[in-house]
Amino acid sequence: MAVTTEAVQAALKELIDPNTQKDYVSTRSVRNIRIDGADISLDIELGYPARTQLDDIRRAVITKLRDLPGIGNVSVNVTVRIVAHTVQRGLKPLPGVKNIIAIASGKGGVGKSTTAVNLALALVQEGATVGLLDADIYGPSQPQMLGLVGQKPESQDGTSMDPLQAHGLQAMSIGFMIDIDSPMVWRGPMVTQALEQLLKQTNWQDVDYLVVDMPPGTGDTQLTLAQKVPVTGAVIVTTPQDIALIDARKGLKMFEKVGIPILGLVENMSIHICTKCGHEEYIFGQGGGEQMCRDYDTEFLGALPLELSIRQLTDSGKPTVIGAPESRAAEIYRTIARRLAIKVAERARDMSAKFPSIVVQNT
């Protein structure tokens, strides 16, 4: 029996992507099917970074196709292509940046910055080009978390700045430009202006995802940022306790009001794991984040443990996915990062670059 394109597509419709939970045909990942007698070659193009899983995906596709009657050699090439997606109405994507992801919380103290830096580094590990903007002017923490304290960005032209590099990540923070002990005694308009300058005057280099570590809360600064920064989507970080969830709901509502889609929710400090005996205990309650997701029809991206090593590694400038890449927590961060990238990939693509600029002149 001759091998046909239809038979190949039918087989791949039965194979589920472990990350998207959809088949490769319905997601239009199957490309360039070529049949030469009994031999098959094709491409699988993913819309999200998954460097640690490319070989597994390739083997799964080959194994599936080898079950076809009369099959010969099977050659599969798995690639990744990350594109820009739509932002709020009236705003255009930032030059050099395909997608901006805001990591936010309704209140401080829920581990938002730790989550932001680990997710950014997890995306780097999965093969993406990633930038991290520390948008917390009053309490910048990313210089410490990335081991960049004391370093300052350089300017080649006197008007723009080159981001600092750490663990393959492009980073920018007001903390690079001030003394670590200096308080930022600024009013709201000054903070907003400073953040816009950090965002737009940084020479981001072909960034697939710019992760913005937002300041906590839902005040004027956060609202102005949400209205002026072209954001692809937002992630809400919370803990399971009721007090944190009350404020997390406010943060979610703020993004909804300004037309920024919620990509999902991350529950931090979900469960405490004793370093001595391994006993697990729900210190801050259980199931709060999942219930909030059900209430607001948003995705529960994952839950992270309250673990001593996460704090220790982050304080040392080597966050968990770098300092302990084989740990359980690092794998959770990578899983959340892949799911986050998939949520971005499911958004409508930005087509503004496809349209020509029309200029009317008097002649």
Side-chain angles (χ1 to χ4, degrees):
M1 182 181 296
V3 179
T4 64
T5 300
E6 291 74 17
V8 172
Q9 291 179 331
L12 293 178
K13 282 183 180 179
E14 299 175 355
L15 188 61
I16 302 300
D17 184 322
N19 299 299
T20 66
Q21 299 303 312
K22 298 177 182 178
D23 68 86
Y24 293 107
V25 176
S26 65
T27 56
R28 299 182 181 180
S29 299
V30 181
R31 305 291 178 91
N32 306 320
I33 297 176
R34 298 172 293 274
I35 299 176
D36 183 9
D39 299 338
I40 299 173
S41 65
L42 59 87
D43 300 328
I44 298 292
E45 184 181 273
L46 305 177
Y48 61 92
R51 177 188 286 164
T52 60
Q53 297 192 332
L54 294 184
D55 288 341
D56 290 341
I57 291 174
R58 178 177 173 273
R59 283 193 291 268
V61 173
I62 291 174
T63 299
K64 184 66 177 179
L65 293 178
R66 280 180 175 164
D67 289 338
L68 290 174
I71 198 72
N73 292 324
V74 179
S75 176
V76 176
N77 183 38
V78 184
T79 61
V80 172
R81 180 170 175 261
I82 301 169
V83 301
H85 295 269
T86 55
V87 296
Q88 307 97 298
R89 184 175 299 176
L91 297 179
K92 294 182 179 180
L94 201 66
V97 177
K98 293 177 183 176
N99 302 286
I100 295 180
I101 301 172
I103 310 294
S105 63
K107 63 178 295 182
V110 298
K112 168 185 55 62
S113 294
T114 299
T115 301
V117 70
N118 275 290
L119 291 182
L121 290 168
L123 288 169
V124 171
Q125 287 186 346
E126 292 294 355
T129 302
V130 186
L132 176 64
L133 175 66
D134 187 355
D136 192 350
I137 296 293
Y138 294 119
S141 55
Q142 295 302 346
Q144 175 74 33
M145 293 182 173
L146 291 171
L148 295 173
V149 173
Q151 298 189 38
K152 297 184 182 299
E154 295 182 355
S155 176
Q156 305 297 327
D157 55 12
T159 58
S160 61
M161 301 171 291
D162 295 331
L164 295 182
Q165 302 281 336
H167 314 300
L169 180 71
Q170 301 176 36
M172 181 54 67
S173 170
I174 193 70
F176 297 147
M177 300 166 219
I178 62 172
D179 185 79
I180 193 171
D181 296 322
S182 298
M184 299 303 294
V185 189
W186 288 358
R187 295 189 183 275
M190 293 179 65
V191 172
T192 301
Q193 183 180 5
L195 286 177
E196 284 194 76
Q197 289 179 327
L198 287 176
L199 179 68
K200 297 178 180 179
Q201 294 181 10
T202 298
N203 298 319
W204 305 109
Q205 299 297 314
D206 299 321
V207 167
D208 295 319
Y209 306 100
L210 177 59
V211 176
V212 180
D213 181 8
M214 295 280 286
T218 56
D220 178 67
T221 301
Q222 291 81 358
L223 184 59
T224 302
L225 280 173
Q227 291 173 331
K228 291 187 176 183
V229 177
V231 179
T232 308
V235 174
I236 305 297
V237 179
T238 185
T239 58
Q241 66 187 113
D242 293 341
I243 298 299
L245 288 165
I246 290 172
D247 292 323
R249 292 170 189 264
K250 294 176 182 177
L252 185 148
K253 284 293 186 180
M254 180 196 73
F255 285 111
E256 287 184 343
K257 286 184 178 180
V258 296
I260 295 176
I262 303 298
L263 300 173
L265 181 142
V266 175
E267 186 179 87
N268 201 26
M269 309 181 202
S270 177
I271 187 172
H272 173 252
I273 303 172
C274 179
T275 55
K276 292 185 177 180
C277 67
H279 174 68
E280 298 183 352
E281 187 176 12
Y282 295 95
I283 293 178
F284 296 114
Q286 184 177 2
E290 291 176 298
Q291 182 59 53
M292 178 177 163
C293 288
R294 288 191 291 268
D295 292 342
Y296 290 94
D297 192 26
T298 191
E299 180 163 336
F300 186 74
L301 294 172
L304 289 153
L306 175 62
E307 203 169 272
L308 178 62
S309 65
I310 294 178
R311 194 274 302 167
Q312 291 174 326
L313 290 167
T314 304
D315 283 352
S316 71
K318 293 183 177 180
T320 303
V321 296
I322 296 297
E326 303 301 322
S327 65
R328 171 187 173 187
E331 184 53 39
I332 294 173
Y333 280 122
R334 284 191 292 269
T335 301
I336 294 174
R338 284 194 299 270
R339 189 59 201 163
L340 175 58
I342 289 167
K343 295 292 290 184
V344 170
E346 291 173 347
R347 301 289 305 163
R349 294 188 177 189
D350 172 61
M351 306 299 290
S352 59
K354 305 277 184 190
F355 295 97
S357 298
I358 300 175
V359 179
V360 179
Q361 294 179 326
N362 291 326
T363 59

